């Protein structure tokens, strides 16, 4: 991996504050080169939607952002902080797991599958991490959980178990659980693709409200309507490279690249 200067780390290359600054990301699995030098920059409060065909590297990129995958080359900074590594002099050290876990507190992640603890109620799921990791008291965490469950429209489900909820409700609990850690950034990896079609809208509505509230988000999605309405930036990835990026109006309505046009003609 490579690194930049401390000033760059704090502000991004142009002196502008960035929540995500990923530069020159390379990632291979064995001989399969999945990311071939990807840059991604996300400003505070911005929603970036990652689109691209299956296998183009979208999930891998997302996972590199919080060091769930180790990059082969390149740097990731979240809110100015180098993720997964420390630079001392001209040497680069990988951080111990404990410190990586500490960094991940800044980043909420919502996956395709909700991964709730099945033996815990909804509210127990939401307060688990803030009490265990942030050291919040149960009373404090429950109070915050009540607010978050109201925010995702599940105030009346606090005492339910995951099995008693629909997929859409479980995904909304997963969002509340991620928000309970007060993240600076939310990453969504195809959050609606495991849901029955009639449940997709309720999850997208919660995400839309989150965006309206100013949350910085990177969303891997096949929901082009969401990208168009909610995204500030659309990044089209194909074959492990960013083929095109810009506003939804530009990329989705006036794509410049043949690969983008071909992808959109299949999904629109
Ligand atoms: N842990 C892994 N080990 C080996 N290969 C992997 C691993 N994770 C992903 N891959 C491969 O890397 C490529 C990119 O996968 P990735 O999940 O990032 O793509 P994607 O654009 O998110 O695709 P999809 O839209 O289908 O989820 C695929 O060929 C996938 O099979």
């Amino acid at each position: 991996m490579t690194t930049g200067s401390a000033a760059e780390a704090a502000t991004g290359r142009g002196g502008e504050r960035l929540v995500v600054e990923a530069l020159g990301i390379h990632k291979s699995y064995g001989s399969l080169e999945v990311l071939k030098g990807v840059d991604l920059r996300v400003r505070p409060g911005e929603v970036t939607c990652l689109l691209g065909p299956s296998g183009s590297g979208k999930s891998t990129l997302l996972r590199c952002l919080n060091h769930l995958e180790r990059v082969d080359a390149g740097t990731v900074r979240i809110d100015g902080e180098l993720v997964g590594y420390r630079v001392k002099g001209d040497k680069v050290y990988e951080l111990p797991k404990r410190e990586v876990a500490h960094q991940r507190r800044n980043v909420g992640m919502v996956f395709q599958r909700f991964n709730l603890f099945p033996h815990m109620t909804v509210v127990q799921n939401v307060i688990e991490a803030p009490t265990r990791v942030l050291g919040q008291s149960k009373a404090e965490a429950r109070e915050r959980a009540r607010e978050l469950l109201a925010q995702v429209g599940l105030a009346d489900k606090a005492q339910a178990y995951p099995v008693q909820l629909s997929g859409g409700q479980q995904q909304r609990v997963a969002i509340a659980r991620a928000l309970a850690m007060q993240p600076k950034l939310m990453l969504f990896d195809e959050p609606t693709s495991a849901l029955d079609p009639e449940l997709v809208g309720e999850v997208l509505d919660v995400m839309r409200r989150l965006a309206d509230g100013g949350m910085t988000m990177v969303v891997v999605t096949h929901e082009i309507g969401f990208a168009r309405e909610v995204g500030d930036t659309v990044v089209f990835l194909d074959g492990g490279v960013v083929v095109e990026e810009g506003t939804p109006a530009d990329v989705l309505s006036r794509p410049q690249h043949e690969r983008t046009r071909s992808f959109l003609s299949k999904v629109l």
Side-chain angles (χ1 to χ4, degrees), residues 29 32 34 52-61 69 190 222:
Y29 297 109
L32 179 67
V34 176
S54 183
S56 55
K58 306 180 296 295
S59 295
T60 302
L61 176 59
E69 296 289 352
E190 297 192 30
H222 293 293

Side-chain angles (χ1 to χ4, degrees), residues 3-263:
T3 60
S5 75
E8 285 168 6
T11 59
R13 293 252 152 111
E16 161 190 47
R17 188 185 154 221
L18 296 169
V19 177
V20 178
E21 188 187 40
L23 296 175
I25 304 300
H26 287 260
K27 175 71 190 173
S28 297
Y29 297 109
S31 60
L32 179 67
E33 201 182 357
V34 176
L35 298 175
K36 304 173 184 170
V38 171
D39 293 349
L40 184 73
R41 295 177 181 82
V42 185
R43 289 184 287 268
E46 202 173 63
V47 177
T48 295
C49 293
L50 290 181
L51 306 185
S54 183
S56 55
K58 306 180 296 295
S59 295
T60 302
L61 176 59
L62 209 63
R63 293 167 63 81
C64 285
L65 296 185
N66 62 359
H67 207 58
L68 286 172
E69 296 289 352
R70 197 182 270 118
V71 300
D72 298 332
T75 53
V76 175
R77 291 188 175 85
I78 300 295
D79 209 28
E81 189 181 3
L82 192 62
V83 172
Y85 298 92
R86 177 181 299 122
V87 184
K88 261 193 186 168
D90 56 0
K91 290 217 165 61
V92 178
Y93 301 90
E94 185 164 10
L95 292 176
K97 276 189 184 154
R98 182 174 36 84
E99 289 187 45
V100 174
H102 189 83
Q103 288 187 326
R104 285 202 189 114
R105 295 181 348 184
N106 290 329
V107 182
M109 187 137 185
V110 175
F111 299 92
Q112 196 172 344
R113 298 256 159 224
F114 342 109
N115 305 327
L116 300 178
F117 295 115
H119 60 290
M120 291 184 185
T121 63
V122 163
V123 71
Q124 285 168 341
N125 266 282
V126 176
I127 70 170
E128 193 273 334
T131 50
R132 181 175 53 81
V133 182
L134 299 183
Q136 286 179 7
S137 70
K138 279 203 170 164
E140 184 187 1
R142 276 180 189 278
E143 183 55 36
R144 176 80 182 122
R146 250 193 294 277
E147 289 167 20
L148 290 169
L149 289 172
Q151 192 179 328
V152 301
L154 293 173
D156 57 337
K157 299 291 182 194
Q159 301 308 325
Y161 284 88
V163 71
Q164 298 170 303
L165 303 180
S166 71
Q169 290 171 329
Q170 290 190 53
Q171 194 60 302
R172 288 187 276 149
V173 176
I175 295 172
R177 180 181 56 177
L179 293 174
M181 293 295 285
Q182 300 161 350
K184 294 175 177 166
L185 167 72
M186 286 285 286
L187 304 177
F188 292 86
D189 193 359
E190 297 192 30
T192 58
S193 59
L195 300 178
D196 292 338
E198 70 273 17
L199 303 178
V200 167
E202 65 189 56
V203 173
L204 294 181
D205 281 347
V206 166
M207 292 168 62
R208 185 178 290 117
R209 286 202 298 275
L210 207 52
D212 289 346
M215 177 59 76
T216 310
M217 297 164 47
V218 180
V219 184
V220 172
T221 185
H222 293 293
E223 296 291 335
I224 304 293
F226 178 86
R228 195 188 290 284
E229 287 160 34
V230 183
D232 296 295
T233 304
V234 170
V235 175
F236 176 68
L237 206 63
D238 194 4
V241 297
V242 174
V243 172
E244 198 164 334
E245 71 179 288
T247 64
D250 283 342
V251 177
L252 301 175
S253 304
R254 295 181 290 278
Q256 298 297 306
H257 202 287
E258 179 48 39
R259 280 152 80 182
T260 321
R261 282 196 284 272
S262 160
F263 170 77

